[in-house]
Amino acid sequence: MIAPEQAEPRASASSSGNETTADAEGDHSYEIVAPVAADGVDMARLAVESQTLDANSRYAYVLWCHDFAPTSVIARRDDGRAVGYVTGYLRPQAPTTLFIWQVCVDPVARGAGLAGRMLDAVWDQAFDAAGVDRMDTTITPDNESSIRLFSSFARRHGTSIEREDLFGPDLLGDEHEPEHLYRIGPIAADKGGK
């Protein structure tokens, strides 16, 4: 469940997981950091405003930020406005695999490669916290921008992607596109943005 990013990522995040960059028009700087519980309010707003993500309750995002901060990031402009996030978790049956659940970029921040930089930042955080060596995500077949986003991530990190069918309409409902599992890796420690 990934919100479309409108542009191919152009740069990777710093290894600190805390990055500042300018938007497509150079009007604002963005800081990418691990979220705190209060950031769940902005994540819920961004998910609803995206009109593409399966938006969850505010409580779900607040809880996510509380429990999964080391595997998630939020991006804020220099004026404090939240303009994007990535949520992820370590798969319980594969604790060195980072599963990316949602990627969301506010339209005002699209075109500057923010989604790619957030993905690199969350990878760096998870690598530092848990020594991850793989990334998984699900993408609907029609979400070409997310396929490009994760393909770019794999190229930047010198690895490959395997795709398989995961959840179909029988589980998700006829109104929901199927979700395909994308498995990225293994990613060597020296390819993990370090």
Side-chain angles (χ1 to χ4, degrees), residues 1 4 9 11 14 16 58 63 74 83 101 108 123 125 149 152 159 170:
M1 295 181 220
S14 64
S16 69
R58 180 187 281 196
L63 186 62
I74 189 163
V83 292
W101 176 48
V108 302
W123 173 263
Q125 280 183 194
L149 172 67
S152 284
T159 194
D170 56 320

Side-chain angles (χ1 to χ4, degrees), residues 54 139-143 167-169 172-180:
D54 292 336
I139 306 173
T140 58
D142 63 343
N143 193 337
F167 301 130
L172 302 175
D174 290 335
E175 70 285 351
H176 197 294
E177 289 287 315
E179 293 279 351
H180 294 160

Side-chain angles (χ1 to χ4, degrees), residues 63-184:
L63 186 62
W64 195 279
C65 291
H66 182 266
D67 287 348
F68 298 110
T71 53
S72 301
V73 295
I74 189 163
R76 291 193 177 280
R77 289 194 320 199
D78 56 358
D79 64 3
R81 178 178 172 177
V83 292
Y85 69 84
V86 174
T87 53
Y89 63 88
L90 300 178
R91 295 192 63 199
Q93 70 276 31
T96 61
T97 298
L98 172 64
F99 184 89
I100 299 299
W101 176 48
Q102 287 186 327
V103 175
C104 186
V105 177
D106 188 306
V108 302
R110 290 185 183 156
L114 183 58
R117 288 191 290 273
M118 288 191 302
L119 204 55
D120 285 341
V122 77
W123 173 263
D124 290 345
Q125 280 183 194
F127 182 85
D128 290 344
V132 293
D133 61 3
R134 296 180 186 273
M135 179 184 286
D136 287 357
T137 194
T138 62
I139 306 173
T140 58
D142 63 343
N143 193 337
E144 294 177 16
S145 58
S146 289
I147 294 168
R148 284 193 309 270
L149 172 67
F150 284 91
S151 295
S152 284
F153 176 87
R155 281 192 303 276
R156 281 193 309 280
H157 295 272
T159 194
S160 61
I161 297 178
E162 295 177 12
R163 187 193 71 80
E164 61 187 69
D165 294 341
L166 186 63
F167 301 130
D170 56 320
L171 294 176
L172 302 175
D174 290 335
E175 70 285 351
H176 197 294
E177 289 287 315
E179 293 279 351
H180 294 160
L181 178 64
Y182 284 73
R183 308 193 93 166
I184 303 168

